[in-house]
Amino acid sequence: MDPNEFKDFSKDMTSFIVNYLENIRERRVLPTVEPGYMKPLLPEEAPQKAEDWQNIMNDLERVIMPGVTHWHSPKFHAYFPTAQSYPAIVADMLSGAIACIGFTWIASPACTELEVIMLDWVGKMIDLPKPFLACSGGKGGGVIQGTASEATLVALLGAKVKKIKQVKEQHPDWSDSDIVGKLVAYGSAQAHSSVERAGLLGGVKHRLLETDSKHQLRGETLAEAIRADKESGLIPFYVVGTLGTTSSCTFDRIDELGPICNSEEIWLHVDAAYAGSAFICPEFRYLMRGVERADSFNFNPHKWMLVNFDCSPLWLKDPTYVINAFNVDPLYLKHDMQGSAPDYRHWQIPLGRRFRALKLWFVLRLYGVENLQKYIRNHVAQAHEFESLVLADPRFEVVEEVVLGLVCFRLKGSNELNELLLKRINGAGNIHLVPSKINDCYFLRLAICSRFSESKDIQYSWQEIKTRADEVLKENSA
Amino acid sequence: MDPNEFKDFSKDMTSFIVNYLENIRERRVLPTVEPGYMKPLLPEEAPQKAEDWQNIMNDLERVIMPGVTHWHSPKFHAYFPTAQSYPAIVADMLSGAIACIGFTWIASPACTELEVIMLDWVGKMIDLPKPFLACSGGKGGGVIQGTASEATLVALLGAKVKKIKQVKEQHPDWSDSDIVGKLVAYGSAQAHSSVERAGLLGGVKHRLLETDSKHQLRGETLAEAIRADKESGLIPFYVVGTLGTTSSCTFDRIDELGPICNSEEIWLHVDAAYAGSAFICPEFRYLMRGVERADSFNFNPHKWMLVNFDCSPLWLKDPTYVINAFNVDPLYLKHDMQGSAPDYRHWQIPLGRRFRALKLWFVLRLYGVENLQKYIRNHVAQAHEFESLVLADPRFEVVEEVVLGLVCFRLKGSNELNELLLKRINGAGNIHLVPSKINDCYFLRLAICSRFSESKDIQYSWQEIKTRADEVLKENSA
């Protein structure tokens, strides 16, 4: 493809994107295709000869769009938001053109240095304690991981290395596998599935601890679990505290978990994947009270801060242990400047990495902190608007305090009734929600997701839910 | 940012990219900045108010470009190539606009289905045996991983689950940690650092096996290692065979390793990260002879097939064990179609994933198989052109057979002399190479990397190397 074709293609794609996004509200949020829909639409093999780019543009509505779930529709309320913005798309174009692999400083100094600085910017925006920031001049600093799953796993691996080292000092005769067999990690029963998965991947025992009546993990529960495990000869080494659980956006009590972890020499990782973005607004920072006791902190600007996936910053007070977990140092990756800037290959699971800090830089500058705060506050206000609508209808109940952009609600009545309601809502496909269940109580989750979402969309979604509830209740009473 | 600003910004960025890439040859390939160069160029905090996008464009040459190592310059010969093309950049724009997170089929059917089909297309292009392909109708199929490091780790975790299950059937009284403590994985001493790292991350013993005089891992070496380990009560479970090592682009003898792994019930993973792209040309397929015996196969179109990072397809003959290694199944991720299409969240370490199959689709269609083959052959021809230049100069020697796009060479003489030569070359910054060392023999690696590379660039690079060699030899004899 020559440069002029690229210019035309890029221009045409830009128009397509604008047309797609600015009119996304008109599309059915959930596709109606069945598994295997695409196979008959495409040839069985790649073409031998080059095609014109116009062919691809013509195929987008025929092949791709019928199978797209429109995550950026204001009618999409499933999971949690994933971010998307024009500045981030343009930043990724530049990232794709420079296309460096920033595994070491020398492999592209700008890639490493912009990341260090951006993670200081973001850390300051959410008022993260200084020991986490590179600009503090200490050991601390941040790195962009691909996902919160990876951040949780990376921190776990760092914690594992640290604890093995500690235990070996006391028991030089114990082998690594003796020690690993005794290690135990903890998270709340409400933690994201990736927390349990990190334990699986890391090859260690992992306990899901019960939460209190507000679905928060409390200090006394952790303390009791640690006591029991130590009594059985196990070695507690890692705790994940969640700020903003996926099921219902509740908040573990970091202020209670921190002191226990510190005194027991257990690594405390804070997973604020969704909620972290809200901390750019001072009024939500009370939710991370006690964070100064944590060893690592992670959140996803690619969820709620308008930076396209993937961008999951992880801050570490002391990256040494993570670096030691991964450090394999072949000659072809060595360079003269080692030690004077981070070589991010030692901070993550993959070796390769894109120039992702550009997305942060573009978004932070082209929105500015004020507009990002406004964005968060606007979504939270819409969640409260929806909450009021639910509360005003006596057939419904709200099952969890609405703190940020998620409303957990249900029809008063059986789980089966609510399962039927959800099936009906998603079957109609005008809006999209997913369910959750806590302590055998099944409920629906409505997350404010789209950057196009307005009050009128909330009203529309509520009308749609009411219509489906009318149907279900009518059938049920018939 | 409103849609019209986005159109202007995108257009301006497109021009910037064309201007950057089409004139990339004129830039110094290695930057001259020192660690910390960027800090004084940027504010200490994110701006409160939104800036104009023109400010960012104005800052690119001031802040970013001075610190960029230009991986796509034809003067860049370090590491291995990383891919970049106009079609892939446009595909990523669309991926950024749709911005779905394809963790399950329902989360965006198009994202999963295009990936399944593209991995069949690519599998057929490199003539991968049918049991690896989804279109065969068996269990097999492919998934796009972020990097080869992740593919190697994912396969190792699958192998670990499989072997633990097998061993438990024979020894129901052994605990998981008893078994894990006995597991041992193997790779060649020439395997990529990520292979050793996968062992570290997976918490298992890992042996680097010696290679033969051509630096290939042979069957008899593996057989002997397995015999010795079994004699000590260990349990061999995983072998990585490398096609195209990073140090010198040599090829392990898969045809010898396969039968041994099959009869010993050991998982054989083939890491063809760099070389895999060459297999779209039939004349290079002899290098993967025996691949039908492998359990998993991985290569990086993001290295040498013009698909931007990250795109690292992994094919599995039987994904069951990988799926079992990761399967954590919360209600909010369940859906009605489970089982009728792959839910790729069970095939990878992260939960989230971008719509990466678009890049493959765009590149395969807009280049066509013929042009991709031409691209590979052109790079291989340039490597041979460089090889001839080296061979014609009696001061130099070529230390490894040139098979694909990498030439390993050195000045006849001491390692120190060659270290000095490399330091001088990279110090001048007109071209960029990295070294390697095998059996205490230090050498320089010249990889053909850029899609802009032509014969004239090879001649330039050789002149540059000769000039630096003249200097070094003159000083050394003085």
Side-chain angles (χ1 to χ4, degrees):
Chain A
M1 171 167 277
D2 74 33
N4 288 326
E5 281 180 299
F6 169 56
K7 284 185 179 175
D8 292 341
F9 190 21
S10 168
K11 189 177 173 194
D12 210 42
M13 184 59 83
T14 302
S15 297
F16 181 90
I17 288 171
V18 165
N19 192 41
Y20 169 63
L21 290 174
E22 298 298 323
N23 301 296
I24 199 165
R25 195 179 270 107
E26 311 309 320
R27 293 183 188 252
R28 189 185 200 275
V29 60
L30 264 181
T32 56
V33 298
E34 297 285 320
Y37 91 92
M38 196 186 282
K39 208 174 172 199
L41 303 179
L42 288 182
E44 286 183 12
E45 294 185 9
Q48 284 299 306
K49 296 200 181 298
E51 295 183 43
D52 292 337
W53 62 264
Q54 289 87 349
N55 287 3
I56 290 211
M57 293 308 299
N58 292 336
D59 275 351
L60 296 183
E61 288 294 349
R62 186 180 72 88
V63 177
I64 303 298
M65 284 302 164
V68 171
T69 302
H70 302 289
W71 283 61
H72 301 282
S73 164
K75 297 169 181 174
F76 181 95
H77 300 297
Y79 317 113
F80 269 139
T82 189
Q84 187 254 75
S85 70
Y86 292 138
I89 292 173
V90 180
D92 264 345
M93 291 169 66
L94 180 61
S95 170
I98 293 176
C100 61
I101 304 294
F103 41 53
T104 56
W105 180 84
I106 192 66
S108 221
C111 181
T112 297
E113 300 214 0
L114 190 66
E115 188 160 331
V116 171
I117 296 170
M118 284 308 103
L119 265 62
D120 275 346
W121 279 21
V122 177
K124 286 176 185 173
M125 281 169 65
I126 61 171
D127 202 22
L128 213 54
K130 282 231 160 56
F132 286 107
L133 307 183
C135 61
S136 73
K139 287 183 178 178
V143 58
I144 300 177
Q145 302 284 330
T147 58
S149 310
E150 289 161 271
T152 307
L153 178 58
V154 163
L156 178 141
L157 294 169
K160 191 174 157 186
V161 165
K162 185 175 180 182
K163 187 53 79 180
I164 291 174
K165 188 166 174 281
Q166 269 175 15
V167 174
K168 281 210 160 177
E169 279 163 15
Q170 294 166 334
H171 304 279
D173 51 319
W174 291 7
S175 73
D176 279 21
S177 66
D178 287 342
I179 300 170
V180 171
K182 293 179 203 292
L183 292 179
V184 53
Y186 307 90
S188 129
Q190 295 306 318
H192 189 259
S193 54
S194 58
V195 174
E196 192 181 345
R197 227 168 170 233
L200 266 180
L201 293 174
V204 295
K205 289 180 189 59
H206 188 272
R207 304 219 189 287
L208 302 176
L209 302 179
E210 284 312 306
T211 52
D212 69 5
S213 62
K214 289 171 146 184
H215 311 126
Q216 305 180 317
L217 176 58
R218 304 296 300 264
E220 56 197 24
T221 311
L222 176 65
E224 173 51 28
I226 291 171
R227 197 200 51 72
D229 279 328
K230 284 169 76 174
E231 209 171 277
S232 332
L234 297 179
I235 307 170
F237 81 108
Y238 185 58
V239 170
V240 177
T242 304
L243 297 181
T245 58
T246 307
S247 269
S248 66
C249 197
T250 52
F251 293 79
D252 290 341
R253 291 290 296 271
I254 305 299
D255 57 335
E256 295 179 0
L257 307 178
I260 297 168
C261 290
N262 291 174
S263 72
E264 296 279 352
E265 298 192 86
I266 295 173
W267 184 299
L268 176 59
H269 174 71
V270 175
D271 170 7
Y274 165 66
S277 298
F279 303 150
I280 61 176
C281 304
E283 67 270 30
F284 296 120
R285 287 184 197 148
Y286 75 94
L287 294 163
M288 63 167 175
R289 197 162 46 213
V291 69
E292 67 281 357
R293 300 278 197 158
D295 297 281
S296 48
F297 181 92
N298 164 242
F299 90 98
N300 291 346
H302 73 224
K303 278 200 163 61
W304 204 16
M305 218 178 79
L306 293 163
V307 181
N308 271 64
F309 187 89
D310 47 345
C311 181
S312 181
L314 169 68
W315 288 268
L316 297 154
K317 267 189 196 159
D318 182 358
T320 317
Y321 301 101
V322 165
I323 291 171
N324 288 344
F326 292 144
N327 207 331
V328 172
D329 214 15
L331 182 60
Y332 50 80
L333 293 176
K334 282 186 194 294
H335 61 92
D336 293 343
M337 297 297 184
Q338 267 176 220
S340 50
D343 280 338
Y344 276 133
R345 68 189 168 109
H346 301 310
W347 295 52
Q348 59 175 23
I349 291 165
L351 172 61
R353 55 205 328 273
R354 285 178 300 132
F355 198 162
R356 292 180 290 203
L358 288 171
K359 293 189 282 199
L360 274 170
W361 195 42
F362 280 38
V363 168
L364 296 181
R365 291 182 66 179
L366 300 186
Y367 280 88
V369 177
E370 279 183 7
N371 285 312
L372 293 171
Q373 288 172 330
K374 213 161 113 185
Y375 181 69
I376 297 285
R377 287 171 182 145
N378 187 22
H379 273 197
V380 177
Q382 288 179 34
H384 285 297
E385 180 180 349
F386 182 79
E387 179 190 23
S388 312
L389 293 166
V390 176
L391 289 174
D393 187 327
R395 301 173 301 171
F396 284 89
E397 59 186 342
V398 170
V399 298
E400 191 79 76
E401 187 189 343
V402 177
V403 181
L404 298 175
L406 180 73
V407 184
C408 298
F409 68 104
R410 67 198 301 278
L411 276 170
K412 290 171 186 166
S414 69
N415 285 350
E416 292 68 33
L417 184 69
N418 282 284
E419 284 174 34
L420 201 62
L421 172 62
L422 184 72
K423 220 180 167 73
R424 197 61 65 95
I425 291 169
N426 286 334
N430 295 319
I431 64 172
H432 184 34
L433 311 180
V434 294
S436 196
K437 196 186 243 179
I438 300 182
N439 299 333
D440 219 40
C441 171
Y442 179 102
F443 57 88
L444 281 61
R445 298 167 71 266
L446 183 135
I448 312 295
C449 291
S450 168
R451 69 180 172 91
F452 303 104
S453 186
E454 299 173 24
S455 172
K456 71 174 181 192
D457 299 299
I458 302 306
Q459 297 292 335
Y460 174 89
S461 294
W462 172 240
Q463 282 307 323
E464 174 66 15
I465 291 165
K466 274 211 306 187
T467 305
R468 302 306 154 199
D470 290 345
E471 289 171 16
V472 166
L473 289 169
K474 196 171 163 193
E475 285 162 33
N476 235 44
S477 69
Chain B
M1 170 167 278
D2 75 34
N4 287 326
E5 280 179 301
F6 169 55
K7 283 184 181 178
D8 291 341
F9 190 21
S10 168
K11 190 178 172 191
D12 210 42
M13 184 58 83
T14 302
S15 296
F16 181 88
I17 288 171
V18 164
N19 191 42
Y20 169 63
L21 289 173
E22 300 297 323
N23 301 296
I24 198 165
R25 197 178 270 107
E26 311 309 319
R27 293 181 187 253
R28 191 185 198 275
V29 60
L30 265 181
T32 55
V33 297
E34 298 284 319
Y37 90 92
M38 195 185 283
K39 210 174 171 197
L41 303 179
L42 289 181
E44 286 183 14
E45 293 185 10
Q48 284 299 308
K49 296 199 181 296
E51 295 183 43
D52 293 335
W53 62 264
Q54 289 87 348
N55 287 4
I56 290 213
M57 293 309 298
N58 292 336
D59 275 351
L60 296 183
E61 288 294 347
R62 185 180 71 89
V63 177
I64 302 298
M65 285 301 163
V68 171
T69 302
H70 301 289
W71 282 61
H72 301 281
S73 164
K75 297 168 181 175
F76 181 94
H77 301 295
Y79 318 112
F80 269 139
T82 190
Q84 186 255 70
S85 69
Y86 292 137
I89 292 173
V90 179
D92 265 345
M93 291 168 66
L94 180 61
S95 170
I98 294 176
C100 61
I101 304 294
F103 41 52
T104 57
W105 180 83
I106 193 66
S108 221
C111 181
T112 296
E113 300 215 0
L114 190 66
E115 188 160 331
V116 171
I117 296 170
M118 285 308 104
L119 265 62
D120 276 346
W121 279 21
V122 177
K124 287 176 185 172
M125 281 169 65
I126 61 171
D127 202 23
L128 212 54
K130 283 229 160 55
F132 286 107
L133 306 183
C135 61
S136 73
K139 289 182 177 177
V143 58
I144 301 176
Q145 301 283 331
T147 58
S149 311
E150 287 161 273
T152 307
L153 177 58
V154 163
L156 179 141
L157 294 168
K160 190 174 159 187
V161 165
K162 186 175 179 181
K163 186 54 79 182
I164 290 174
K165 188 165 173 282
Q166 270 175 14
V167 174
K168 280 211 161 173
E169 278 163 16
Q170 295 166 334
H171 303 280
D173 51 318
W174 291 8
S175 74
D176 279 21
S177 67
D178 286 342
I179 300 170
V180 172
K182 293 179 202 292
L183 292 180
V184 54
Y186 308 90
S188 129
Q190 295 306 318
H192 189 260
S193 54
S194 58
V195 174
E196 192 180 345
R197 227 167 169 232
L200 266 179
L201 293 172
V204 294
K205 289 180 190 59
H206 187 272
R207 304 219 187 289
L208 302 177
L209 302 179
E210 284 312 307
T211 53
D212 70 4
S213 62
K214 289 169 144 184
H215 311 125
Q216 305 180 317
L217 176 59
R218 304 296 299 266
E220 57 196 23
T221 311
L222 175 65
E224 174 51 29
I226 291 172
R227 198 200 51 73
D229 280 329
K230 284 170 74 174
E231 209 171 276
S232 332
L234 297 178
I235 307 171
F237 81 109
Y238 185 59
V239 171
V240 178
T242 304
L243 297 181
T245 58
T246 307
S247 270
S248 66
C249 198
T250 53
F251 293 79
D252 290 342
R253 290 290 296 272
I254 305 299
D255 57 334
E256 294 179 0
L257 307 178
I260 298 168
C261 289
N262 291 173
S263 71
E264 297 279 351
E265 299 191 83
I266 294 172
W267 184 300
L268 176 59
H269 174 71
V270 175
D271 170 8
Y274 166 66
S277 299
F279 303 150
I280 61 175
C281 304
E283 68 269 30
F284 296 119
R285 286 182 198 151
Y286 74 94
L287 294 164
M288 64 168 174
R289 198 163 43 214
V291 70
E292 67 281 357
R293 301 278 197 157
D295 295 282
S296 48
F297 182 92
N298 165 242
F299 89 99
N300 290 347
H302 73 225
K303 280 201 162 63
W304 203 14
M305 218 178 78
L306 293 162
V307 181
N308 271 63
F309 188 89
D310 49 345
C311 180
S312 180
L314 168 69
W315 288 268
L316 298 154
K317 268 189 194 159
D318 183 357
T320 316
Y321 301 100
V322 165
I323 292 171
N324 287 344
F326 292 144
N327 207 330
V328 173
D329 214 15
L331 182 60
Y332 49 79
L333 294 176
K334 281 187 195 292
H335 61 92
D336 292 343
M337 297 297 183
Q338 267 176 221
S340 49
D343 280 339
Y344 277 133
R345 68 188 167 110
H346 301 310
W347 296 52
Q348 60 175 21
I349 292 165
L351 173 61
R353 55 204 327 273
R354 286 179 299 133
F355 198 163
R356 292 180 290 202
L358 288 170
K359 293 190 282 198
L360 274 170
W361 196 42
F362 280 38
V363 167
L364 296 182
R365 291 182 67 178
L366 301 185
Y367 279 90
V369 177
E370 280 183 7
N371 285 312
L372 294 172
Q373 289 173 331
K374 213 161 113 185
Y375 181 70
I376 296 286
R377 287 172 182 144
N378 186 22
H379 273 197
V380 176
Q382 288 179 33
H384 285 296
E385 180 180 350
F386 182 79
E387 179 190 22
S388 311
L389 293 167
V390 176
L391 288 174
D393 187 327
R395 301 172 302 173
F396 284 89
E397 58 186 342
V398 170
V399 298
E400 192 79 76
E401 188 189 342
V402 177
V403 180
L404 298 175
L406 180 72
V407 184
C408 298
F409 68 103
R410 67 198 301 278
L411 277 169
K412 290 171 186 165
S414 69
N415 284 350
E416 292 67 32
L417 183 68
N418 282 284
E419 284 174 33
L420 202 61
L421 173 61
L422 184 73
K423 222 181 166 72
R424 198 60 66 92
I425 291 169
N426 286 333
N430 295 319
I431 65 172
H432 183 34
L433 310 180
V434 295
S436 195
K437 196 186 242 179
I438 299 182
N439 300 333
D440 220 41
C441 170
Y442 180 101
F443 57 89
L444 282 60
R445 297 168 72 265
L446 182 134
I448 312 295
C449 291
S450 168
R451 69 180 172 92
F452 303 104
S453 185
E454 298 173 25
S455 172
K456 71 175 180 191
D457 299 298
I458 302 306
Q459 297 293 333
Y460 175 89
S461 294
W462 172 241
Q463 282 307 322
E464 173 67 15
I465 292 164
K466 274 210 306 187
T467 305
R468 302 306 153 199
D470 289 346
E471 288 171 18
V472 166
L473 289 169
K474 196 170 164 193
E475 285 163 32
N476 235 42
S477 69

